[in-house]
Amino acid sequence: MYEQIKEVVSSLINLNEVELNYFISKLQVKHFNRKEIILQEGQICRYAYFINRGCIRYFHNLEGEEITAQFFFENGWYTDYGSYLSGTASTQNIQAIEKTEILLLSKTDLYNLYQTIPQFEKLGRLMAERAFLGLRQRTEMLTNQTPEERYLNLIKDRPKVFERVPQHYIASYLGIKAPSLSRIRKRIFDKK
Amino acid sequence: MYEQIKEVVSSLINLNEVELNYFISKLQVKHFNRKEIILQEGQICRYAYFINRGCIRYFHNLEGEEITAQFFFENGWYTDYGSYLSGTASTQNIQAIEKTEILLLSKTDLYNLYQTIPQFEKLGRLMAERAFLGLRQRTEMLTNQTPEERYLNLIKDRPKVFERVPQHYIASYLGIKAPSLSRIRKRIFDKK
DNA sequence: GCTAAACGTTAACCCAAGTTAAGAAATGAA
DNA sequence: TTCATTTCTTAACTTGGGTTAACGTTTAGC
């Protein structure tokens, strides 16, 4: 159950056996069914999430329509960094796309780890930097690329997304509507 | 010359007279003419910038076209946070829009301040968080709003931009081309 | 295995942004 | 003040995404 997270954390910071096990002891396991909401828009995000198995998405509501901001798969750490930083209500929902097993680490425990094991400060910084750079990448995608380019790049960079995520979520992630994604796929298929 | 920055820094962190003056002694003053480049795409960003007077923009080149990402006016701290974080080449140009007076603080000096005056760690964190939240705001603008909504909100939230920044820069910031911005303006004017 | 729900594609029509080019207006630098 | 440069607007035309609705297919969950 904890093999993956041990590996991921160990690849980022140096911990001895005792520290690593102390960390693991703070984790909570939760299971979510398809479409189940993990974090609701408006709540304050008090946990960091590690995905053991499954796949989740971030989305928010815009005039009744769901806008998907990101997908995440196994072996990643995620949190609503905006809510975490400012302690304000989350603007995102986090939802399981498949049956998903998640390890939760409460902010309280994380802050205690910052205090007791200095290496965790580094983990915190790496998570923050990753959040910034990930957001920047998405922003650049949206400003610099046409919908068709975004589609082609997503297939190239993260083909897994197309295997595991319904297409209308992907359309919304690419900043377009489902019929447009269908047309783009057809257009590209016809070119070949 | 240093009144503004003293006020801004003092409003964020608590420093005594000596610390504040020590900080000021590390600053370097530079002047830039209209259109002059402050930081070139591809260089590593080694400074944080404080604008004393004037106005700057961030932009990058995309297939020969300049995409404007942000405008900044007096009394703000800015840096290419992506380049600063990762130590990689900047993906942005920083350019003076008007005659601009800037105070520079080198990363080296900033890191020394982190070590010698703990309060500066807080300043660093606040700058980082502001960068993240600013970027998130822009991302949400681009994903959640139509060009017309973006235009109306920019007028509402930052009317100064329209007084001091050429319109084709604004168009690019809004994610559209100059003729489109003109049409939007006409459309809105005709409605009234 | 069955059934309802979810999903993907297509068509027809609309509309807004892109492109290009031209000309008018405003502005900066000498 | 003048002139070159920059900036803004407009027009004509093209392109591609949005909308709506229909239909067929797939899939989840019992």
Side-chain angles (χ1 to χ4, degrees), chain A residues 35 166-168 179 182-183 185-186:
Chain A
K35 296 208 161 198
Q167 214 160 280
H168 60 289
S182 270
R183 280 186 294 231
R185 288 163 65 82
K186 188 172 186 331

Side-chain angles (χ1 to χ4, degrees), chain A residues 56-103:
Chain A
I56 65 172
R57 68 172 181 133
Y58 284 22
F59 73 92
H60 64 277
N61 256 281
L62 182 68
E63 292 158 24
E65 191 189 352
E66 293 182 356
I67 310 289
T68 298
Q70 198 52 267
F71 309 109
F72 295 116
F73 300 97
E74 289 87 357
N75 299 331
W77 269 116
Y78 308 104
T79 189
D80 185 317
Y81 196 62
S83 173
Y84 157 91
L85 262 186
S86 51
T88 55
S90 171
T91 59
Q92 298 284 318
N93 300 279
I94 303 182
Q95 184 188 40
I97 294 177
E98 313 167 349
K99 278 202 173 209
T100 295
E101 183 180 270
I102 284 182
L103 304 177

Side-chain angles (χ1 to χ4, degrees), chain B residues 73 152-165 170:
Chain B
F73 300 98
L152 290 170
N153 283 326
L154 188 61
I155 281 204
K156 184 158 60 77
D157 299 339
R158 302 179 70 188
K160 284 233 165 113
V161 169
F162 288 87
E163 293 161 21
R164 296 173 65 177
V165 175
I170 299 179

Side-chain angles (χ1 to χ4, degrees), chain A residues 131-144:
Chain A
F132 178 87
L133 296 174
L135 183 61
R136 202 180 57 159
Q137 189 183 14
R138 179 163 157 76
T139 305
E140 282 175 2
M141 173 187 95
L142 290 169
T143 49
N144 297 351

Side-chain angles (χ1 to χ4, degrees), chain B residues 166-168 179 182-183 185-186:
Chain B
Q167 214 160 282
H168 60 287
S182 269
R183 280 186 294 234
R185 289 163 64 84
K186 188 171 187 331

